[in-house]
Amino acid sequence: MFIILSGAILTLVAPKILTVEQFGLWRMFILYSTYAGILHLGVADGYLLNNVSKSISNAFNSLRRSMPFLIVQQILISAIIYFILLLYINDKQLLFIAASVLIFSITINLRTLVDNFLIISKDFRRSNIVKIMEKALFLLVLFAFLTFGKISYQLLIGLFIFASLSALIFLIILVKPKIELSKGIVKDNISDIKIGSQLLSSNILIILLFNIDSVFVNMYLGIKSFAIFSFAITIIMLINQFAESISQVLFPYLATDLRNKLFSANIMVVSGMFGLWVLILQFSFLFLPLINIVFPEYAESEMIIFIYLITSLFTLIIRISQNNLFKVLNAQIVFVRIEVIVLLLLIVLLFIFNSNMSTTVISILILITRFVWFLMNEIYLKSDKRFLLKIVTGFLLYGGIYVSIYFYVENIYLRFILFTIIALPLYIVGFKNFYKKRKLSQ
């Protein structure tokens, strides 16, 4: 909740302290920094998968020999990539953003490796302390600078990297991994890369599928359109951050404690996500109109946010539920194949609608392909057909009601009240089912 709150604060502050163009450049750094997490080439993912069901002492010993390998690997890869970019790019702003992303990649990948040890040991307390410290430090330093002068996008990026690096140092102090250089260090880590490559491929495609819209807008519609589109995405990213946090916590339990009742646990998770989605739609009626008042420069982003809020149901289910199920079932290859199909479908649709392309059209295409992705995953997982039908029917029903109220009811508070009344039976049934299942489990 603190991470989401800090993200919300930055979402509100950044467009106010930066010009539209500088906000676009800041968001460009954030966009491409999401790809920084793939530069470990599978080491961090392989470490997680190889040790999730082992003892904590074995996982700690593995961490000791993985860290030095990853440090050297990250420095070499970053240096090679930046040297290649220097040969082909002359724009100083782009080179600055590229260098920042590569520096950030070193810190974030080392953090991922050490944090995976805490995930394996289910020590979410210390993991969360580090994440909260990072966000708190970033906001404190940001507001300190704001009191003394104007903030540029370069300084904002620098503060972001500083907070991430500080969190890495604090994490290392907490875990105290003793670096070990052994003769088999390369061989052992190559084994992690082989195991982690499937999950890495899946993660690359997930990042690509969840960011291809922003990349397309950035490359083809200009910096101003990208800034407006990115403003909308920053709102939606709060939902993604929540999904990512829950997914990380859920995975070790699905892989161990809940493995024998995987699909029944999944039904509870998906039901909870559906209820959360309806709640998000309900309160969006109150905050969507505020965009035009507080951020008039980004008023065009309202329709984009509106469409992505409808899409968020599939975002939550794919990232929290389906992605973890495929990992636990060791079916990452199938997950990757489905992702490739969905990606190709999206590219074809972008090509078909190229002549009439706009940020709204892109948002609608993402909604369509996200729905197809969700369905394909469910078909492979052979989920309960009746439950799947309930989810699809619920989406069409509440999504349709949401759209109708948005376009046909003008008063903000009346919109909120109408949707609340319609959603009330769902909340009551949800709480009753949760209470019954909790009583049975006790």
Side-chain angles (χ1 to χ4, degrees):
M1 291 305 297
F2 184 85
I3 290 168
I4 292 169
L5 179 62
S6 63
I9 292 170
L10 185 59
T11 297
L12 297 173
V13 170
K16 282 293 184 184
I17 62 175
L18 301 174
T19 64
V20 173
E21 184 182 5
Q22 285 211 345
F23 179 73
L25 292 167
W26 155 249
R27 288 303 306 174
M28 195 185 299
F29 163 75
I30 295 296
L31 170 63
Y32 292 108
S33 67
T34 58
Y35 292 91
I38 66 178
L39 293 182
H40 60 74
L41 303 182
V43 175
D45 292 332
Y47 168 77
L48 175 63
L49 294 174
N50 274 332
N51 293 279
V52 69
S53 57
K54 293 182 181 178
S55 66
I56 295 174
S57 59
N58 281 339
F60 188 74
N61 289 332
S62 296
L63 178 65
R64 291 167 62 183
R65 50 95 178 154
S66 292
M67 274 209 69
F69 179 85
L70 187 60
I71 291 169
V72 174
Q73 180 220 48
Q74 285 295 283
I75 293 171
L76 285 175
I77 288 174
S78 298
I80 291 167
I81 291 173
Y82 192 70
F83 177 73
I84 293 170
L85 291 174
L86 277 174
L87 295 176
Y88 294 99
I89 297 175
N90 295 319
D91 191 314
K92 289 183 179 180
Q93 286 182 329
L94 292 180
L95 285 173
F96 173 78
I97 290 171
S100 302
V101 169
L102 291 170
I103 293 169
F104 177 72
S105 77
I106 297 172
T107 62
I108 198 65
N109 287 323
L110 286 170
R111 276 182 60 191
T112 299
L113 179 68
V114 182
D115 195 53
N116 278 345
F117 169 74
L118 297 180
I119 290 172
I120 290 165
S121 57
K122 298 176 184 176
D123 189 354
F124 300 113
R125 179 176 172 273
R126 289 198 291 178
S127 177
N128 286 331
I129 286 171
V130 174
K131 289 170 185 173
I132 289 170
M133 186 220 77
E134 178 197 5
K135 299 301 179 185
L137 179 63
F138 175 68
L139 291 176
L140 283 171
V141 178
L142 173 61
F143 286 116
F145 271 94
L146 279 173
T147 58
F148 294 106
K150 194 175 180 181
I151 296 285
S152 65
Y153 82 94
Q154 294 99 327
L155 181 58
L156 200 58
I157 290 171
L159 296 179
F160 191 83
I161 295 172
F162 167 73
S164 181
L165 181 61
S166 301
L168 170 63
I169 294 168
F170 186 50
L171 188 60
I172 290 171
I173 292 170
L174 282 178
V175 176
K176 298 181 179 67
K178 297 176 182 177
I179 293 176
E180 183 182 75
L181 295 170
S182 61
K183 291 182 179 179
I185 187 171
V186 175
K187 183 181 177 182
D188 290 337
N189 281 284
I190 293 298
S191 173
D192 276 351
I193 290 174
K194 287 179 180 178
I195 296 296
S197 60
Q198 291 180 16
L199 182 54
L200 179 68
S201 301
S202 173
N203 287 339
I204 291 171
L205 285 165
I206 283 177
I207 293 169
L208 189 58
L209 281 165
F210 277 98
N211 291 287
I212 192 172
D213 46 355
S214 294
V215 173
F216 190 88
V217 173
N218 178 230
M219 293 177 68
Y220 295 105
L221 299 184
I223 193 69
K224 187 176 180 182
S225 292
F226 175 69
I228 291 169
F229 188 83
S230 293
F231 177 81
I233 296 302
T234 56
I235 306 291
I236 303 304
M237 279 298 293
L238 300 177
I239 299 171
N240 290 347
Q241 283 180 344
F242 171 80
E244 189 65 29
S245 300
I246 296 297
S247 180
Q248 286 183 344
V249 172
L250 189 62
F251 172 66
Y253 289 104
L254 288 174
T256 53
D257 303 22
L258 300 172
R259 193 181 183 97
N260 294 328
K261 43 185 176 181
L262 197 61
F263 289 97
S264 59
N266 179 59
I267 287 173
M268 283 199 67
V269 171
V270 173
S271 300
M273 292 307 100
F274 187 88
L276 176 64
W277 174 68
V278 173
L279 200 64
I280 290 168
L281 296 185
Q282 177 185 329
F283 283 93
S284 69
F285 286 121
L286 296 179
F287 75 76
L288 272 176
L290 292 175
I291 293 169
N292 295 329
I293 300 169
V294 183
F295 303 98
E297 304 95 333
Y298 301 94
E300 294 173 40
S301 66
E302 183 177 339
M303 183 53 63
I304 303 167
I305 298 170
F306 172 76
I307 297 167
Y308 272 90
L309 287 172
I310 298 171
T311 310
S312 64
L313 173 64
F314 307 117
T315 301
L316 290 167
I317 294 175
I318 291 167
R319 296 193 73 150
I320 296 175
S321 167
Q322 293 176 341
N323 184 31
N324 276 326
L325 281 180
F326 276 94
K327 279 194 286 187
V328 175
L329 295 169
N330 296 318
Q332 282 297 311
I333 292 176
V334 179
F335 194 61
V336 168
R337 287 172 184 167
I338 293 171
E339 288 174 312
V340 170
I341 293 169
V342 175
L343 181 59
L344 291 173
L345 172 63
L346 180 56
I347 292 170
V348 169
L349 289 173
L350 287 170
F351 177 77
I352 291 170
F353 290 93
N354 186 48
S355 58
N356 297 313
M357 194 55 65
S358 68
T359 52
T360 302
V361 170
I362 291 172
S363 305
I364 293 170
L365 295 182
I366 292 296
L367 170 58
I368 293 167
T369 51
R370 203 69 57 84
F371 178 65
V372 172
W373 187 7
F374 158 77
L375 283 180
M376 290 183 71
N377 286 343
E378 289 296 326
I379 289 168
Y380 173 79
L381 291 168
K382 297 177 181 176
S383 300
D384 184 276
K385 291 180 181 178
R386 289 178 62 188
F387 181 70
L388 177 58
L389 183 62
K390 284 181 181 179
I391 295 296
V392 174
T393 304
F395 167 73
L396 294 174
L397 178 64
Y398 281 96
I401 292 168
Y402 180 67
V403 171
S404 300
I405 292 175
Y406 180 83
F407 284 107
Y408 294 106
V409 179
E410 292 186 8
N411 187 278
I412 298 168
Y413 301 108
L414 184 57
R415 287 175 177 177
F416 177 78
I417 293 167
L418 279 173
F419 196 84
T420 303
I421 292 168
I422 294 167
L424 200 57
L426 178 72
Y427 297 148
I428 293 169
V429 171
F431 278 120
K432 279 185 177 179
N433 287 338
F434 176 76
Y435 180 75
K436 284 179 183 177
K437 288 177 181 179
R438 187 182 176 191
K439 203 170 182 181
L440 284 170
S441 65
Q442 289 173 341

